[in-house]
């Protein structure tokens, strides 16, 4: 999934322990920023994936005469020929073919890939509060306009999805920039993990509710999905601008104790801009190559499932539209649990000296790739008569994949903490390419939506997982790289080495 976590440092806070005890915690302004960011990322992903379920009930299904009888069936038994078992939604309005729907699902990523690195630069230059807030306002408007534009022209839907991608592409580097000014070193993992946990809950809530909205919502069912998600995110934008500020010093409601605690704890002067970025050294870094490859391989599976899972459950396992949304959400509930747990496991392994940082990252990432690939392939061999087993395998595949959050996702901060935002922007830019290609490839591989065709889609995902294991397992690094160190650090290390040599 699109997440960044800062490294906690063992340095002692600058304030006295008696003063630290007086610093507010759960209701403090830094935690309010975490809660507000959580809801923000909830809506970022709601606006991203809402069309994945909506498009299932927007597009007319062939052979509707015989299929209509199966629409509201809750039976787990699959009978009849393939054509008679098509799930038809009486609210469908569009005759879009497979190529059109695949292109609509992919169009978001044509915009998303462009604004990754610029999003971080804009946040440093103008403040993350404005950049993220304006981007989400644009995203809300695009979502609210989708039903009207869909009924007018399919081209306008492409345009809206590209604009939505451009806007939401700034989200992760933007909030990363803000946490660089708000998160004390010993609280970074907790604050940032809470913020980005909203992405998984956004998937769960949107997949889980969209099926019911398709069936019972207003504006022919599917239209309500866009109006509700777009309207609620617009309300969030107002709240964001009211309660959030770019730095503790600018916040009108922060206590003096908390402001001093944050400003004294952060290691650098947050009023200064980021220094020169060592682009050439980054490009030659094996550690960055490993993270980029892992990010690409992981996102191929993620984006395949995010955009195509509802279609797979409908076409192969014949779930009706209400069950489809809930079942599409179930794997991401599992991922939320594993994503949170993997961070705790990683910290225990490292703090107790069981494994080095490099070994810990490699182990958890290999578990994520191998488990995901095995259970996805297993899913491809489950027939409609055993669709409960298919849901189990899918949940295990997506759930185990959550271990990547303690693998390559946090690894950027291990080997280049000073440039973690830029590093994540670089890898996520390359990792957006699967978002553009995966839905199209899935569409090309499944012209008839048969079980055998969808099995090939999962084979492709598994092949990317194997590639990720090989590259990340060989080239990932857990220690900070030379090019990522401050000049002062390098001078001190050389002096220490010289002293040890003399001794």
């Amino acid at each position: 999934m699109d997440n960044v976590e800062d490294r906690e440092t063992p340095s002692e806070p600058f304030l006295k322990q008696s003063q630290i005890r007086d610093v507010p915690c759960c209701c403090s302004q830094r935690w309010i920023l975490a809660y507000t960011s959580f809801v923000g990322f909830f809506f970022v992903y709601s606006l991203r994936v809402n069309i994945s379920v909506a498009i299932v009930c927007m597009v007319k299904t062939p052979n509707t005469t015989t299929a209509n009888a199966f629409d509201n069936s809750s039976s787990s038994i699959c009978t009849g020929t393939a054509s008679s078992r098509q799930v038809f939604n009486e609210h469908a309005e569009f005759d879009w073919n497979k190529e059109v729907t695949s292109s609509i699902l992919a169009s978001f990523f044509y915009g998303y890939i462009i604004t990754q690195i610029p999003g971080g630069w804009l946040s440093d230059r103008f403040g993350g509060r404005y950049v993220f807030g304006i981007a989400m306002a644009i995203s809300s408007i695009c979502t609210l306009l989708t039903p009207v534009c869909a009924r007018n022209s399919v081209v306008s839907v492409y345009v809206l999805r590209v604009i939505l991608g451009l806007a939401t592409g700034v989200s992760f580097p933007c909030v990363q920039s803000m946490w660089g000014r708000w998160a004390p070193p010993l609280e970074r993992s907790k604050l940032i993990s809470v913020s980005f946990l909203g992405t998984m809950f956004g998937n769960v809530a949107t997949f889980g509710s969209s099926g019911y909205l398709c069936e019972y919502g207003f504006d022919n069912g599917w239209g309500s999905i866009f109006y509700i998600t777009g309207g609620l995110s617009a309300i969030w934008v107002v709240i964001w601008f009211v309660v959030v500020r770019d730095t503790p010093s600018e916040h009108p409601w922060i206590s003096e104790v908390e402001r001093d605690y944050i400003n004294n704890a952060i290691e650098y002067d947050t009023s200064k801009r980021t220094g020169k970025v060592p682009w050439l050294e980054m490009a030659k870094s094996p550690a960055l190559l490993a993270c980029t490859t892992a990010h690409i391989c992981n996102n191929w599976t993620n984006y395949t499932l995010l955009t195509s899972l509802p279609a797979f459950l409908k076409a192969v396992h014949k779930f009706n539209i209400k069950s489809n949304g809930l079942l599409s959400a179930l794997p991401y509930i599992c991922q939320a649990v594993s994503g949170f747990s993997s961070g705790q496991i990683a910290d225990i392994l490292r703090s107790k000296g069981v494994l080095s940082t490099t070994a810990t990252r490699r182990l958890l990432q290999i578990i994520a790739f191998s488990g995901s690939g095995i259970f996805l392939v297993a899913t491809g061999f489950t027939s409609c008569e055993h669709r409960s087993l298919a849901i189990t395998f899918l949940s295990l595949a997506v759930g185990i994949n959550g271990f990547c959050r303690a693998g390559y996702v946090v690894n950027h901060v291990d080997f280049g903490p000073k440039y973690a935002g830029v590093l994540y922007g670089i890898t996520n830019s390359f990792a957006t390419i699967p978002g553009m290609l995966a839905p199209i490839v899935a569409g090309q591989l499944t012209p008839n939506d048969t079980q055998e065709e969808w099995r090939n889609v999962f084979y492709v995902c598994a092949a990317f997982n194997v590639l990720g294991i090989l590259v990340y397992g060989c080239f990932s690094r857990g220690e900070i790289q030379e090019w990522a160190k401050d000049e002062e650090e390098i001078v001190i290390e050389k002096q220490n080495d010289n002293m040890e040599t003399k001794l």
Side-chain angles (χ1 to χ4, degrees):
M1 175 242 19
D2 311 301
N3 187 8
V4 180
E5 180 179 341
D6 272 328
R7 179 183 61 181
E8 289 188 337
T9 60
S11 57
E12 292 292 329
F14 290 95
L15 299 181
K16 296 179 180 179
Q17 292 299 321
S18 59
Q19 293 175 293
I20 293 176
R21 284 194 293 268
D22 296 331
V23 176
C25 183
C26 294
C27 296
S28 64
Q29 294 304 323
R30 64 190 185 281
W31 274 99
I32 289 175
L33 173 59
Y35 307 145
T36 312
S37 300
F38 171 93
V39 180
F41 280 106
F42 176 98
F43 286 119
V44 167
Y45 268 65
S46 292
L47 302 185
R48 284 178 62 166
V49 305
N50 55 16
I51 200 167
S52 296
V53 178
I55 206 166
V56 174
C57 49
M58 292 168 66
V59 180
K60 296 177 182 178
T61 304
N63 303 317
T64 58
T65 302
T66 57
N68 191 39
F70 293 89
D71 181 44
N72 292 317
S73 173
S74 60
S75 174
S76 61
I77 301 175
C78 301
T79 58
T81 64
S83 60
S84 67
R85 287 187 279 117
Q86 292 283 356
V87 180
F88 171 67
N89 178 28
E90 62 182 3
H91 302 302
E93 300 180 30
F94 306 104
D95 293 310
W96 299 337
N97 59 31
K98 190 80 171 181
E99 289 72 22
V100 171
T101 56
S102 296
S103 298
I104 289 174
L105 294 174
S107 58
F108 167 90
F109 300 97
Y110 295 118
Y112 188 73
I113 193 173
I114 296 174
T115 51
Q116 294 293 320
I117 298 175
W121 180 85
L122 286 171
S123 298
D124 288 339
R125 179 68 178 84
F126 301 104
R129 172 174 176 255
Y130 287 103
V131 178
F132 193 25
I134 293 172
M136 286 301 291
I138 295 172
S139 301
S140 302
I141 294 171
C142 289
T143 303
L144 291 169
L145 291 175
T146 298
V148 176
C149 290
R151 293 176 175 127
N152 179 56
S153 168
V154 68
V155 175
S156 61
V157 179
Y158 292 137
V159 173
L160 287 177
R161 294 296 294 180
V162 171
I163 296 174
L164 182 67
L166 286 167
T168 56
V170 308
S171 55
F172 285 99
C174 187
V175 175
Q176 172 81 359
S177 175
M178 293 189 68
W179 280 124
R181 293 161 174 77
W182 271 95
L186 297 178
E187 296 185 33
R188 283 177 183 161
S189 296
K190 294 179 288 187
L191 291 167
I192 295 173
S193 63
V194 168
S195 296
F196 295 132
L197 200 62
T199 60
M200 287 173 283
F201 281 90
N203 286 337
V204 170
T206 305
F207 278 135
S209 63
S210 293
Y212 281 90
L213 291 174
C214 275
E215 185 76 11
Y216 303 113
F218 57 91
D219 192 25
N220 215 14
W222 62 267
S224 62
I225 297 174
F226 298 101
Y227 290 128
I228 290 175
T229 55
L232 290 176
S233 62
I235 295 173
W236 174 87
V237 170
V238 177
I239 297 173
W240 171 263
F241 279 116
V242 170
V243 304
V244 168
R245 295 296 185 273
D246 285 312
T247 66
S249 300
E250 297 173 7
H251 207 293
W253 307 319
I254 191 171
S255 67
E256 183 177 352
V257 173
E258 183 183 7
R259 184 183 65 245
D260 291 342
Y261 166 62
I262 296 173
N263 288 336
N264 290 331
I266 291 178
E267 308 93 330
Y268 64 95
D269 186 352
T270 58
S271 64
K272 293 182 179 179
R273 298 179 185 177
T274 304
K276 182 179 178 181
V277 179
W279 298 107
L280 182 60
E281 290 78 4
M282 284 182 179
K284 296 186 296 184
S285 172
L288 181 58
L289 169 66
C291 278
T292 302
T293 304
H295 207 156
I296 292 171
C297 295
N298 183 73
N299 274 13
W300 187 278
T301 297
N302 281 344
Y303 289 140
T304 295
L305 295 179
L306 277 175
T307 57
S308 303
L309 184 55
F312 166 73
L313 293 176
K314 173 187 174 182
V316 176
H317 295 287
K318 314 305 175 188
F319 284 106
N320 62 48
I321 194 64
K322 291 178 290 185
S323 300
N324 198 331
L326 287 173
L327 294 171
S328 296
L330 182 60
Y332 296 99
I333 297 175
C334 298
Q335 191 178 76
V337 174
S338 66
F340 179 80
S341 302
S342 63
Q344 308 303 315
I345 294 172
D347 284 344
I348 291 173
L349 292 175
R350 296 166 66 211
S351 63
K352 293 186 177 298
V354 177
L355 292 175
S356 66
T357 299
T358 299
T360 300
R361 302 298 179 224
R362 290 179 179 179
L363 173 64
L364 294 175
Q365 189 59 54
I366 289 172
I367 290 174
F369 276 140
S370 57
S372 175
I374 290 170
F375 285 110
L376 277 179
V377 171
T379 301
F381 285 90
T382 55
S383 64
C384 184
E385 286 74 15
H386 301 93
R387 54 187 185 176
S388 296
L389 186 60
I391 297 301
T392 301
F393 285 157
L394 277 172
S395 298
L396 288 171
V398 178
I400 294 175
N401 186 255
F403 278 84
C404 73
R405 298 184 179 278
Y408 83 88
V409 173
V410 71
N411 194 201
H412 302 74
V413 188
D414 293 326
F415 67 84
K418 185 178 180 182
Y419 306 104
V422 174
L423 290 168
Y424 196 86
I426 292 171
T427 65
N428 204 29
S429 295
F430 285 103
T432 301
I433 296 174
M436 297 183 285
L437 298 180
I440 296 175
V441 171
Q444 292 294 322
L445 291 175
T446 57
N448 302 307
D449 277 329
T450 64
Q451 178 186 354
E452 291 73 19
E453 290 173 347
W454 277 98
R455 189 180 300 160
N456 292 331
V457 174
F458 297 139
Y459 280 149
V460 173
C461 293
F464 272 98
N465 285 3
V466 172
L467 175 62
I469 290 173
L470 294 174
V471 176
Y472 192 81
C474 293
F475 297 105
S476 60
R477 299 288 186 273
E479 67 279 359
I480 186 169
Q481 302 297 287
E482 287 296 319
W483 50 264
K485 297 178 181 178
D486 288 328
E487 292 183 4
E488 293 81 0
E489 289 183 77
I490 297 175
V491 170
I492 293 172
E493 286 181 0
K494 289 182 177 179
Q495 291 175 345
N496 291 337
D497 290 341
N498 292 333
M499 291 180 63
E500 290 178 1
T501 302
K502 293 178 180 179
L503 292 175

